[in-house]
Structure formats: C-alpha cells, structure tokens
Amino acid sequence: MASDLALYGYWRSTAAYRVRIALELKGLTWENRPVHLLRDGGEQHGAAFRVLNPQELVPALLDGERVFTQSLAIAEYLDETYPEPPLLPVDPRGRARVRALALTIACDIHPLGNLRVLQQLERQFGATEAQRAEWVRHWMAQGFAAIETLLADNVATGAFCHGDTPGLADICLVPQVYNALRWQLPLDPYPNVQRIHAACTELEAFRTAVPELQPDAPVAG
Amino acid sequence: MASDLALYGYWRSTAAYRVRIALELKGLTWENRPVHLLRDGGEQHGAAFRVLNPQELVPALLDGERVFTQSLAIAEYLDETYPEPPLLPVDPRGRARVRALALTIACDIHPLGNLRVLQQLERQFGATEAQRAEWVRHWMAQGFAAIETLLADNVATGAFCHGDTPGLADICLVPQVYNALRWQLPLDPYPNVQRIHAACTELEAFRTAVPELQPDAPVAG
C-alpha cells in the first residue's frame, strides 16, 4: 500500500475534494496536509507551498518525492498508477465523454467561482457579496444545464455519469454540487445531476471525502 | 485516412486552435466548419450548434456521427485513436506533468478571459474595455509566471514543454501565447515560454493551424 502519498488541500476546495474521492475510490492510504487558504493572507501563497506548486493553488499530491498538481492530472496519474478500480472506461469514445464531462466542470464552472476570482472581482470592480454570489450562480447554472443535457440525452449515462460505476466525471460532479448547495443554487432543473449525486453519496469513498469530515474543517457550532 | 473528421471552431478561439494543432500534428485530414461567435448574437447559441454542444462553446469535433467536446478531451481522444505521433509521454509521471501544464492553461488561464466571461463582466459590472483588458492580463500574467517556473525548474523540459517533441502542453501553450500577444501582455518575464513558442512555430503543424489562416478569419486590410 502506498503510504507515502500526501495530499495538500483545503477542506472546502472542490478541486482537493475531487482528489480525496479518487484516493478513496482507489482504496489508497494517504496523509492529509491542510493548507489554509484564508489564514495569513493564504498559506498557498507562502514560500513553503510555492515550492510544491508555483501556481499557489491546491491541491498538490506528493507521491514519494514527486509532486503532482492540477486535480484532473492527479486523478489520471492515480488511475494509471493504481488501475483498480478504473476511473475511465476502456473505449476511447467513452473516455472522451467522461473527460468532457469532467472538464466542463473543471474548466468552465469551477475556476470562475474560485476564491482568487471572487477576490479579484472585489478588488477590481468592488463586487459586493450579493454580486459575487450572482456571478458564481450564473456560471454554475450555465454549466449544470449543459451537463444535465449531456447526461439526459445519452444512453451511456447509468446509475453514475457513465455506466454503473463511479468515475472521473462523478469525482468532479459531487464537489461541484456541494459548491452549488453552498451558494444556494436551486438544483430542481437538474434531475440527473441530483440523482447521480445521491447515488455517489451512498458510497463510502464519497462519504469519507466530504469537506466537513476533514481535519481542517471548522468544528460545527 | 479519416476524412470524416469535421471541426466546429472559430478562427480566434484558442480552444479550437489547440484542436487544429492536434489534428495537424497527427497528419489527419479534416473539414473546417466555422461557427461565428459574434454574428447574430453568436452562432454557438443557435439551435443548430446546441445540438452538437449544449455548452454552446467551440470547439466540437465530429468523427463520423459522434460528436466530441472540450478541447483537451478531444486531444486525448485523437491521441488514443490515432497514436502517432504521441501527444503524451509513456511514463505516468511525465504524462501527469504534461497534463498539469495543459490544465494550468485550460482551467486557470483561458476560461477566465473567454468571450462569455468578458461579456458577463460588462453586463454585471459595466466593465470598460480597459478594465476587461486588465482582467485578462491579470490571469495570464499569473498563469504564465507559474508555467515559466514549472518549465525552468524541471529537467524534463526540452526544446518543447516536455522533451524534444511537441505534445499536449505545447498545443495549449501556443494558442495562449497568441492570445497574450493579442492582449499585449509583455512576455519578457517568460523566456522559456517564448523559446518553446518559437520552436513550435517553426513546425508545419503549428503554422497551418494559426488563426489568420483559417477560412473564417477576416481578410487582412
């Protein structure tokens, strides 16, 4: 068992959340090394973390002495290095579909509502909290609408995004739904998204990875 | 040779530009089907294109009757379906590095300066052209700084982003540099980015894919 895996993340980072699910689905033992994104101006901007990731973003995965960044690249690395259970189907068309679903979230929803973007909206345009929420919900609504259509219109959709086992797309979907709930986006228009989210959250790997169970999560009051 | 490949793109879309380079590197024959992002409120929002991609974004690749979206998913599909020359190294660590470089651009630079985001900044915050330019350059400068460090600090960097043959990271880098020049971002702080960009633009595949040579590009005045 690879006990030299260490994940630098933050409890509420949806990108770190994806990697936690991947690690748990693979049944790997890993060490959780929290990086506090808000303390002292953000520990991700400190010299200690910048050595691991010059992008100053979580997550970063340490495997022995090698560091890996970008959650989807990390997930594919884990899938290639620890093949069971697979996170991608075997056929190139299916793999492309799963990757496209994952990238729709990872490129076109998540980065637009990321902490640094909200900070820049405030800095550059004086965006209020309500305006930042409107911004985040705008991109989430657009993205979820597309994903809902891609799920509803394709026979490859099963109990999960692609077939009846969880994979790379589900790993991205569940944290994004978590974020949608946090921002109070109504999910009624997305029944397939809701159904698959519910199926995922019945699995131990997804349950273990939830933000509130991480060591750096605030204690519920 | 696959003559049933058709790419729906837009001459200046950097995501479509990536796929054009991938198609050319693979030596594939493909049909260019332009989608005008600005005409009539954007052809990507029309019913004809929404059937291909409910995300209403280019590119979309048609391979026979199957449609593929998300430029990186398309590139990986092409790499798995037409393996030569490869766009990714063989070792999982190298693959993870190349994917992380590609995703740094595809997730954390490009989507933040995309047309729809600039339109939303104008709509929601009344952002002026100068403010939109400042916004775009802010994210490009952050992203290029990280990429420059990742390139400079790693022995795997060669004539190209990873070794001495072009691959998935270079496919993303060149269109992003094109975009940086368009937005007049000074590139002096990024010597490795500049060097690799120059090496790529000497190759026929990269030359053929440039925006100004596409059928939908405006005729130079």
Side-chain angles (χ1 to χ4, degrees), chain A residues 53-55 57 63 66 68-70 72-73 76-77 80-81 91-97 99-100 103-104 106-109 111-112 114 116-117 120-121 123-125 127 131-132 134-135 138-139 142 146 149-150, chain B residues 53-55 57 63 66 68-70 72-73 76-77 80-81 91-97 99-100 103-104 106-109 111-112 114 116-117 120-121 123-125 127 131-132 134-135 138-139 142 146 149-150:
Chain A
N53 186 8
Q55 246 202 312
L57 293 173
D63 186 356
R66 278 290 274 267
F68 298 90
T69 62
Q70 287 289 339
L72 292 191
E76 297 246 12
Y77 169 75
E80 291 176 351
T81 312
D91 61 305
R93 290 176 171 195
R95 295 164 74 84
R97 177 174 184 257
R99 285 186 177 122
L103 288 162
T104 296
C107 292
D108 296 326
I109 304 179
L112 294 163
N114 213 354
R116 61 182 195 145
V117 172
Q120 182 66 12
L121 284 177
R123 203 178 294 133
Q124 204 183 332
F125 301 103
Q131 286 176 317
R132 297 196 298 272
E134 183 190 342
W135 171 271
H138 173 79
W139 301 115
Q142 280 205 4
T149 301
L150 292 168
Chain B
N53 186 7
Q55 247 203 311
L57 292 172
D63 186 356
R66 278 289 276 265
F68 297 91
T69 62
Q70 287 289 340
L72 291 190
E76 296 246 12
Y77 168 76
E80 291 176 350
T81 312
D91 61 307
R93 291 176 170 196
R95 296 164 74 83
R97 176 173 184 258
R99 286 187 177 122
L103 288 162
T104 297
C107 293
D108 296 326
I109 304 179
L112 294 164
N114 212 355
R116 60 180 195 147
V117 172
Q120 182 66 13
L121 284 176
R123 203 177 295 133
Q124 204 184 333
F125 301 104
Q131 286 175 318
R132 297 196 299 271
E134 182 191 341
W135 171 272
H138 174 78
W139 302 115
Q142 280 205 3
T149 301
L150 291 168

Side-chain angles (χ1 to χ4, degrees), chain A residues 75-202:
Chain A
E76 297 246 12
Y77 169 75
L78 291 173
D79 204 37
E80 291 176 351
T81 312
Y82 311 96
E84 294 301 328
L87 301 180
L88 288 167
V90 288
D91 61 305
R93 290 176 171 195
R95 295 164 74 84
R97 177 174 184 257
V98 171
R99 285 186 177 122
L101 286 166
L103 288 162
T104 296
I105 293 168
C107 292
D108 296 326
I109 304 179
H110 170 251
L112 294 163
N114 213 354
L115 173 65
R116 61 182 195 145
V117 172
L118 301 181
Q119 288 172 337
Q120 182 66 12
L121 284 177
E122 192 178 358
R123 203 178 294 133
Q124 204 183 332
F125 301 103
T128 62
E129 195 176 333
Q131 286 176 317
R132 297 196 298 272
E134 183 190 342
W135 171 271
V136 169
R137 283 195 289 260
H138 173 79
W139 301 115
M140 287 201 291
Q142 280 205 4
F144 276 123
I147 287 169
E148 178 64 25
T149 301
L150 292 168
L151 292 172
D153 291 356
N154 199 308
V155 293
T157 303
F160 297 93
C161 286
H162 193 84
D164 293 326
T165 51
L168 190 67
D170 307 287
I171 283 174
C172 294
L173 187 70
V174 165
Q176 194 57 56
V177 168
Y178 171 86
N179 210 24
L181 295 170
R182 179 184 161 203
W183 288 94
Q184 299 174 297
L185 180 79
L187 293 176
D188 302 341
Y190 323 117
N192 278 282
V193 168
Q194 286 186 288
R195 175 180 63 76
I196 291 166
H197 176 261
C200 288
T201 53
E202 294 201 1

